[in-house]
Amino acid sequence: MKNSKKQKLPLKSTAFIFKLIRRKDPLKQSMRNSQSVFAYMLKNIGTLILMALPPSIILVLSKDARNIPAFFIGIIKKGAGYEIKDYFSDVYSYFSAISFNSFWGFLLWCLGILLLIVCMGMLFSSVEKKMRLGVSAGVKWLDMINDSVMLLLPYVGVVLLGYEVVGLLCSGFAALIFAVFRSGIAMLTVGLVFTVAIYGFYAVLFSYVSLTVPCMMSDGYSFRYAAAYSVSLVQKENKRVIISVVMPYAVCVMILAAVTGILAGTNSSEELTEAVTKIVTFVEMVFYLMYFPVVSMRNYMLLTGGKRRDLWNWR
């Protein structure tokens, strides 16, 4: 009897070890659970869309139909006849987020950025209260503005500055290639590869600091320390975080490129091209303004082990 009991112990120990090996990582399981970012967005679509609409409307109205896909598609359409007469209007304006159409267009763009800061602050505040406390912020606009608008100022400023620097690098490199080779085809091939690489690098950097605002709101860090903490958190699951932040934006860019290409291929009028481009840009902007605060706060809660109070089945 003693020998038989001694023989069963190793079997139980082995089974326990295999059970531990087969156990799923709770963080990875949470990343794939049914309570996705899109489920949250659909459940709270009314509140989110009200805050995302104002800056989207103003920013889309402040700019024309120039964008990065339109720049490269324009080179393809013109072919050997492509020329750069003015770097600012023919190249840089396609890469810049700033509106240089006119003085009033620039003022409208500045108003859009102010609304972006205010509304993004309200979005983050609303999502944070819902996920951390399980309560809805409702329409307490002033409370949400006081909670997070000042936190968004340095963050939006740094992100916008980084985007403009990247646009300056890509547009400058494209113009340099054209000046050296005097060929639109050379600028298209080399410039496109360089642009995708630089913007891809910028997107990865943006993903690493995507948790900065939640870190400032939840932990009380200043912008500098919150950005550093965001980087350390994202390093735990960098691939998943990068995909969750970048993939929807990349899809939006591809949709915009496809629409621009179709309009150019069908020789649509400038009025139709601008109208359709603005509509597509508006829809994509509204979507991502709703998506980013949700995915940012969701990732923060998962990576810090915080309890999602908005989930009824939390254990």
Side-chain angles (χ1 to χ4, degrees):
M1 293 295 291
K2 291 181 179 179
N3 292 336
S4 61
K5 288 183 179 179
K6 288 181 180 178
Q7 290 176 354
K8 289 181 181 179
L9 288 175
L11 294 175
K12 291 182 178 179
S13 301
T14 305
F16 178 73
I17 291 172
F18 278 110
K19 187 177 180 180
L20 287 176
I21 294 173
R22 289 195 303 268
R23 183 179 296 174
K24 293 181 179 180
D25 181 8
L27 178 60
K28 294 181 179 179
Q29 190 174 6
S30 297
M31 284 289 199
R32 297 190 296 266
N33 64 14
S34 59
Q35 298 293 341
S36 67
V37 173
F38 297 105
Y40 181 96
M41 290 173 63
L42 289 174
K43 189 176 180 180
N44 302 275
I45 187 69
T47 303
L48 295 175
I49 202 168
L50 279 176
M51 301 176 194
L53 280 175
S56 301
I57 293 173
I58 300 300
L59 288 173
V60 168
L61 290 176
S62 69
K63 281 183 64 66
D64 55 20
R66 298 181 186 184
N67 53 62
I68 297 174
F71 173 74
F72 289 105
I73 291 172
I75 298 174
I76 297 173
K77 188 175 180 179
K78 293 180 181 179
Y82 180 82
E83 291 183 1
I84 297 179
K85 297 179 180 179
D86 180 68
Y87 163 75
F88 188 80
S89 60
D90 294 339
V91 185
Y92 179 68
S93 60
Y94 287 86
F95 290 83
S96 176
I98 303 174
S99 174
F100 297 106
N101 298 339
S102 64
F103 174 75
W104 294 110
F106 178 73
L107 288 182
L108 191 63
W109 178 84
C110 292
L111 175 61
I113 293 299
L114 290 176
L115 281 175
L116 176 67
I117 294 171
V118 172
C119 292
M120 281 288 287
M122 293 165 62
L123 281 164
F124 268 105
S125 180
S126 174
V127 175
E128 191 247 358
K129 284 182 171 60
K130 189 72 173 179
M131 288 190 180
R132 293 187 71 225
L133 304 177
V135 298
S136 176
V139 290
K140 298 178 181 178
W141 308 111
L142 291 178
D143 290 342
M144 290 188 289
I145 291 172
N146 291 332
D147 286 344
S148 56
V149 166
M150 295 305 296
L151 301 179
L152 264 294
L153 280 172
Y155 185 72
V156 173
V158 170
V159 171
L160 182 60
L161 177 63
Y163 187 88
E164 287 302 309
V165 169
V166 170
L168 186 63
L169 286 174
C170 293
S171 60
F173 184 78
L176 178 63
I177 293 297
F178 182 81
V180 173
F181 296 99
R182 305 301 300 176
S183 169
I185 303 301
M187 186 172 66
L188 172 66
T189 53
V190 180
L192 182 59
V193 172
F194 183 81
T195 298
V196 171
I198 294 298
Y199 276 99
F201 179 72
Y202 173 76
V204 171
L205 290 181
F206 176 72
S207 300
Y208 270 93
V209 296
S210 62
L211 309 183
T212 301
V213 177
C215 291
M216 287 191 288
M217 294 178 63
S218 302
D219 300 313
Y221 291 134
S222 63
F223 172 74
R224 183 177 63 176
Y225 291 108
Y229 187 39
S230 174
V231 172
S232 65
L233 287 175
V234 174
Q235 286 176 345
K236 297 179 182 179
E237 284 287 335
N238 54 1
K239 291 182 180 179
R240 295 178 184 274
V241 173
I242 291 171
I243 290 174
S244 68
V245 173
V246 176
M247 187 60 69
Y249 186 79
V251 172
C252 289
V253 172
M254 288 187 286
I255 293 174
L256 182 61
V259 171
T260 305
I262 292 171
L263 291 170
T266 55
N267 294 319
S268 301
S269 63
E270 292 185 5
E271 292 78 10
L272 179 62
T273 300
E274 183 165 353
V276 173
T277 302
K278 284 191 173 185
I279 291 172
V280 174
T281 304
F282 170 74
V283 172
E284 293 179 345
M285 190 177 294
V286 170
F287 163 75
Y288 203 77
L289 285 181
M290 294 190 297
Y291 176 83
F292 179 68
V294 178
V295 74
S296 180
M297 187 59 68
R298 192 283 304 264
N299 289 342
Y300 171 82
M301 298 294 289
L302 291 174
L303 293 171
T304 57
K307 293 183 178 181
R308 287 277 300 274
R309 297 295 182 182
D310 62 310
L311 303 183
W312 64 271
N313 61 344
W314 168 258
R315 290 180 175 82

